[in-house]
Amino acid sequence: MELELNGKVAIVTGSARGLGEATARRLACEGAHVVVTDIDAESAELTAKDIVAQGYSAHAVAGDITRSADVDALVQDTLDRFGGVHVLVNNAGFPRDSVLTKMSESNWDDVIDVILKGAFLTSKAVMPHLIDQRWGRIVNISSRAHFGNPGQANYSSAKAGILGLTRALCLEEGRYGITVNAVAPGFVATEAVRSLGHYEKIRDRAVESTPLGRVGTPEDIADAVAFLASERASFISGETLHVTGGRFG
């Protein structure tokens, strides 16, 4: 199925590695000009260079998406490099787990700021350009953790907030031909997850409780994002797509 992303310009936050990297690669394979952006400048540059080496279009921009000045610079760099912006994937985020009584204020703030404030700032920065061209796609990466996880009050709150942001922006911006959707992954075997000391145990438990009988891959999530970013999803907005192998949804 042709996704009609050829020539579109896509910003993917937190795309130096993991789900963001897989998404950047998938969009690039579909013909998009991809901006790989991450606070880790070296890794972002390596990812972008590798995408280019594969024959696709990519550009790295380092920055902190919790800082409005960095976000404004990211969007301006994108416009200067590619002449426009059409797709935003709000992927950046991380967990800092602890039960509530032991959770530090900084661990609450850091997780909320990167996931939720970051999505707010990047969406706000690209929106005028999407409105002007009467076409745009925003895909927000939530998590099945939006249902609530013990030990993840910060992460679950941020990922639930992403769903509220998704729905609000869908209602605000639909008149301009802009769709806003969310993808909520289940258990995905990213490099970071595989490095956990108890990975085999949690993997086996996930496989047992997943109807499809396997864990997810970063490419599974990237495929879902690419579809929602495409012309093929032009009448889908305000939705949350659970990509969990049937385990949640």
Side-chain angles (χ1 to χ4, degrees):
M1 179 172 61
E2 175 58 54
L3 296 184
E4 298 185 26
L5 285 170
N6 191 53
K8 293 291 192 295
V9 179
I11 297 172
V12 184
T13 69
S15 49
R17 58 179 65 83
L19 300 184
E21 177 184 357
T23 297
R25 291 180 182 279
R26 182 70 172 87
L27 294 174
C29 288
E30 289 294 333
H33 305 291
V34 174
V35 177
V36 176
T37 185
D38 202 284
I39 200 167
D40 183 344
E42 182 178 0
S43 295
E45 188 66 38
L46 288 173
T47 295
K49 285 183 176 179
D50 190 59
I51 292 172
V52 171
Q54 299 298 315
Y56 304 111
S57 177
H59 174 58
V61 180
D64 180 350
I65 60 167
T66 70
R67 295 167 50 90
S68 58
D70 283 18
V71 172
D72 290 342
L74 162 65
V75 174
Q76 189 59 55
D77 194 331
T78 300
L79 297 172
D80 292 343
R81 181 79 175 193
F82 294 120
V85 58
H86 306 91
V87 176
L88 170 65
V89 181
N90 284 311
N91 165 77
F94 51 80
R96 287 188 178 167
D97 298 351
S98 174
V99 296
L100 183 65
T101 54
K102 296 181 179 179
M103 184 175 290
S104 68
E105 186 174 349
S106 63
N107 279 352
W108 173 274
D109 288 344
D110 289 348
V111 170
I112 296 291
D113 281 355
V114 172
I115 294 173
L116 197 51
K117 182 180 179 182
F120 157 68
L121 289 176
T122 52
S123 298
K124 182 179 178 181
V126 303
M127 195 61 71
H129 306 284
L130 305 187
I131 289 172
D132 285 347
Q133 67 201 13
R134 294 297 195 271
W135 196 98
R137 300 284 184 267
I138 296 179
V139 183
N140 297 319
I141 304 302
S142 182
S143 165
R144 61 79 44 208
H146 75 81
F147 291 115
N149 276 342
Q152 288 192 318
N154 48 3
Y155 189 74
S156 293
S157 296
K159 291 302 188 178
I162 283 290
L163 300 189
L165 178 66
T166 297
R167 187 62 188 165
L169 294 185
C170 155
L171 296 173
E172 284 185 17
E173 315 303 342
R175 74 187 81 175
Y176 304 113
I178 299 165
T179 69
V180 187
N181 291 289
V183 172
F187 186 90
V188 179
T190 62
E191 182 179 350
V193 170
R194 293 197 306 272
S195 69
L196 297 173
H198 58 304
Y199 168 68
E200 287 79 11
K201 181 179 179 180
I202 58 176
R203 177 202 61 198
D204 292 346
R205 186 168 65 243
V207 169
E208 289 175 3
S209 59
T210 299
L212 288 183
R214 68 172 178 87
V215 298
T217 67
E219 290 72 27
D220 290 324
I221 310 308
D223 287 343
V225 173
F227 170 68
L228 290 173
S230 77
E231 190 62 39
R232 302 279 70 80
S234 63
F235 200 57
I236 301 172
S237 194
E239 299 294 342
T240 300
L241 176 58
H242 290 86
V243 184
T244 68
R247 189 181 182 196
F248 305 102

